[in-house]
Amino acid sequence: MRDPARARDERLRADLFLLLVAVVWGSAFVGQRLGMEQVGPFAFNAARFTVGALTLIPIIGWQRLRATPRAELRRGALLGLLLFAAASLQQIGLIWTTAGKAGFITGLYVVIVPLLLAALWQEWSTWSSWLGAALATVGLFLLSAQISRTDLRLAPGDGWVLGSAVVWALHVIAIGRIAPGRDPLRLALVQFIVCAMLSVPASLLLEPGSWAGLLLAAPAVLYTGILSIGLGYTGQVVAQRHTTPAHAAIILSLESLFAALFGWLILGEALSPPQLVGCGLMLAGMLLAQLPVKRREA
């Protein structure tokens, strides 16, 4: 039987690691927006995921790479396909919608994850996870939506971003099923390579001339590639070996909170009273998800 104390320690470390990932993704939001001003979405994704892969290769080592089993390659390729779809839909949507609405719609994966688990796999989350997800969703709305405006109709890019939220949810679920028992660094590397390889031909076919601005976007590519991809997505794979997908989604949704905080610290973007309330609700949702739930032993 597994030691309960050890399991709690592993889950706590995983939660802290996921919180770090949320901080990294939030801080990289500014760089991601600036990079999109110079190149197209597929070219930007191809460049930053290539940088993320190159960051991991020397850490893993050649001998460890050669020992990668075929089953791990297949599962990593599946993660890479989901990552490519989610990242592409999100980047395309950002062209035609505001950052605030895109942040709210993307953050809906915190609710989509438990819904998909219940609908497709008959896996019901605990009451604390559902309530925490609800609080986090309300907090995301207050943080990202423009409260002073009543027009909440979908902009042309909102549908793309909503599609990315569904795929992000599938990506979180897939990692929760694939990562346990496997090499997290090799798994992360495979998904980065697959995502970059799919982004290159998409850019060459759909974005003629987009690569010309890659040099101007180099600082944003390096920043998001090393931190958001190399550290962030790798940390997600490592941490999700010790926690549930629904639980991980709540913590990762704090990306929007940290994006707002870094925007305030770095860009001087002040938070309105409703946005501050949203930050508090998101933190409450995360803390509520940590409540232990007594289960009847079989």
Side-chain angles (χ1 to χ4, degrees):
M1 181 180 293
R2 191 179 183 188
D3 184 7
R6 181 178 179 182
R8 283 196 304 270
D9 290 342
E10 288 179 347
R11 178 172 173 174
L12 177 59
R13 285 195 295 268
D15 288 350
L16 292 175
F17 213 167
L18 288 172
L19 183 60
L20 175 62
V21 171
V23 175
V24 169
W25 285 349
S27 68
F29 182 77
V30 176
Q32 186 175 340
R33 292 289 298 172
L34 292 176
M36 284 286 294
E37 296 178 358
Q38 308 297 334
V39 296
F42 291 109
F44 183 73
N45 281 339
R48 67 187 183 120
F49 279 101
T50 298
V51 171
L54 293 175
T55 302
L56 277 185
I57 290 177
I59 298 176
I60 299 175
W62 177 244
Q63 294 298 325
R64 191 170 164 188
L65 285 176
R66 290 184 59 186
T68 305
R70 290 186 177 181
E72 199 168 276
L73 289 174
R74 290 194 297 269
R75 288 165 174 79
L78 173 61
L79 293 179
L81 180 61
L82 292 172
L83 187 61
F84 166 74
S88 299
L89 289 171
Q90 185 184 59
Q91 290 298 123
I92 293 172
L94 283 170
I95 300 175
W96 295 301
T97 190
T98 63
K101 292 178 71 175
F104 168 63
I105 297 172
T106 300
L108 288 177
Y109 71 80
V110 72
V111 172
I112 297 174
V113 166
L115 288 177
L116 289 178
L117 287 173
L120 301 180
W121 288 278
Q122 300 299 306
E123 295 183 10
W124 298 91
S125 300
T126 62
W127 69 267
S128 59
S129 292
W130 282 100
L131 186 54
L135 286 176
T137 302
V138 175
L140 275 167
F141 175 77
L142 293 175
L143 179 64
S144 301
Q146 296 181 1
I147 306 300
S148 60
R149 296 176 58 184
T150 59
D151 182 12
L152 293 178
R153 291 177 298 175
L154 290 178
D158 290 345
W160 293 91
V161 181
L162 181 59
S164 77
V166 176
V167 185
W168 283 127
L170 290 172
H171 185 256
V172 170
I173 294 173
I175 289 179
R177 279 161 163 69
I178 293 174
R182 304 194 181 277
D183 189 314
L185 297 185
R186 288 190 310 215
L187 206 59
L189 177 63
V190 173
Q191 72 166 347
F192 297 163
I193 293 175
V194 170
C195 184
M197 290 177 62
L198 292 173
S199 299
V200 170
S203 175
L204 294 176
L205 290 173
L206 302 175
E207 300 168 349
S210 176
W211 292 83
L214 194 58
L215 186 60
L216 295 175
V221 168
L222 291 175
Y223 184 76
T224 58
I226 296 174
L227 287 181
S228 180
I229 308 301
L231 177 60
Y233 286 104
T234 304
Q236 180 190 9
V237 175
V238 172
Q240 277 200 240
R241 295 181 302 164
H242 305 294
T243 190
T244 64
H247 189 82
I250 294 175
I251 299 176
L252 292 175
S253 71
L254 289 169
E255 169 193 5
S256 296
L257 184 153
F258 290 113
L261 290 179
F262 279 105
W264 172 61
L265 291 173
I266 299 175
L267 302 178
E269 298 175 349
L271 294 174
S272 65
Q275 289 175 320
L276 292 174
V277 173
C279 293
L281 288 176
M282 293 185 68
L283 286 174
M286 185 192 72
L287 294 175
L288 184 61
Q290 315 301 314
L291 289 179
V293 177
K294 294 183 179 179
R295 299 180 181 273
R296 181 181 303 172
E297 293 185 4

